[in-house]
């Protein structure tokens, strides 16, 4: 349970998990920012135990609906979208100028609303980086789908933690980079 305390103009949030001591690391990400995590390849992510099987036609249908909901992107060309869904449809959708923020909004929504991640698919508009795959691993999402490319490090992490990584979804084509056993033909 997330506890939030208001104190004058400050807000304290106490998460129901133990957070490791963070070490700042300078990165060369989108904005050359600072992250407070260690080497993603050395981090101990949970191994996903999920028997989800999904048809490729279902993946195409979900992503088509996802793109229809991406109004901010179609209006500005400068926003990212993320959604969590199951085989029946989209459960939650978010847009933001940053792809990490869009993913954080979805994972945060699921956390606050007690949406279990087993059997879920995370749809993304942006690049599948190691940080994005790490967030999905910590949230225990078994499948990630994007219209863009994964990084080599993202593929390595996805293979290690049993995440199915799908990239370059365009029309009725896609590439499966890890754990293809979850994807069934039409």
């Amino acid at each position: 349970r997330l506890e939030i305390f208001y104190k004058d103009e400050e807000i304290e949030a106490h998460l129901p998990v133990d957070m490791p001591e963070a070490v700042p690391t300078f990165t060369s990400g989108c904005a050359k920012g600072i992250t407070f995590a260690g080497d993603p390849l050395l981090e101990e992510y949970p191994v996903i135990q999920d028997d989800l099987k999904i048809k490729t036609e279902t993946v195409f249908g979900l992503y088509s609906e996802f793109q229809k909901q991406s109004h901010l992107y179609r209006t500005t060309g400068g926003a990212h979208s993320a959604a969590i869904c199951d085989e029946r449809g989209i459960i939650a959708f978010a847009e933001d100028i940053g792809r990490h923020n869009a993913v954080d909004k979805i994972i945060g929504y699921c956390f606050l609303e007690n949406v279990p991640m087993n059997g879920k698919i995370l749809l993304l508009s942006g690049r599948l980086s190691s940080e994005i795959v790490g967030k999905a691993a910590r949230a225990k999402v078994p499948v990630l789908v994007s219209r863009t490319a994964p990084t080599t490090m993202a593929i390595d992490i996805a293979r290690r933690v049993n995440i199915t990584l799908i990239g370059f979804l365009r029309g009725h084509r896609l590439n499966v980079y890890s754990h293809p056993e979850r994807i069934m033909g039409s």
Side-chain angles (χ1 to χ4, degrees):
R1 191 172 143 249
L2 177 67
E3 296 179 29
I4 299 176
F5 301 98
Y6 298 92
K7 184 172 132 184
D8 299 325
E9 293 182 14
E10 294 180 10
I11 297 174
E12 286 185 24
H14 299 278
L15 298 175
V17 294
D18 292 327
M19 298 296 289
E21 288 296 318
V23 177
T25 303
F26 293 93
T27 65
S28 60
C30 300
K32 295 183 183 176
I34 300 172
T35 184
F36 289 91
D39 183 340
L41 285 177
L42 298 177
E43 189 165 335
E44 290 298 320
Y45 299 109
V47 175
I48 309 292
Q49 302 298 322
D50 197 302
D51 59 357
L52 174 67
K53 302 274 190 223
I54 188 164
K55 293 182 179 180
T56 54
E57 287 305 314
T58 302
V59 173
F60 294 133
L62 290 168
Y63 207 83
S64 176
E65 181 58 33
F66 172 71
Q67 289 182 306
K68 288 176 189 171
Q69 289 189 32
S70 298
H71 302 293
L72 190 57
Y73 174 78
R74 284 198 315 278
T75 303
T76 66
H80 286 283
S81 305
I84 195 77
C85 58
D86 59 19
E87 295 177 72
R88 295 179 303 272
I90 293 174
I91 297 165
F93 177 88
E95 291 186 291
D96 197 282
I97 194 166
R99 62 191 167 92
H100 289 273
N101 296 346
V103 170
D104 290 344
K105 286 177 178 181
I106 291 301
I107 291 173
Y109 170 85
C110 292
F111 177 76
L112 291 173
E113 296 299 320
N114 295 313
V115 175
M117 294 299 201
N118 58 312
K120 301 298 186 293
I121 302 127
L122 182 60
L123 305 176
L124 309 159
S125 64
R127 183 170 37 92
L128 295 164
S129 65
S130 60
E131 297 91 353
I132 297 289
V133 174
K135 288 177 187 206
R138 285 187 290 277
K140 299 184 180 171
V141 179
V143 178
L144 274 70
V145 180
S146 179
R147 65 177 177 217
T148 64
T151 64
T152 301
M153 194 179 302
I155 296 168
D156 290 344
I157 293 169
R159 286 179 178 156
R160 190 176 80 214
V161 301
N162 198 25
I163 288 178
T164 300
L165 201 59
I166 298 172
F168 285 114
L169 188 144
R170 312 270 169 90
H172 277 37
R173 297 184 66 196
L174 55 78
N175 294 342
V176 180
Y177 295 92
S178 60
H179 298 283
E181 64 275 6
R182 287 197 179 100
I183 308 303
M184 302 180 304
S186 315

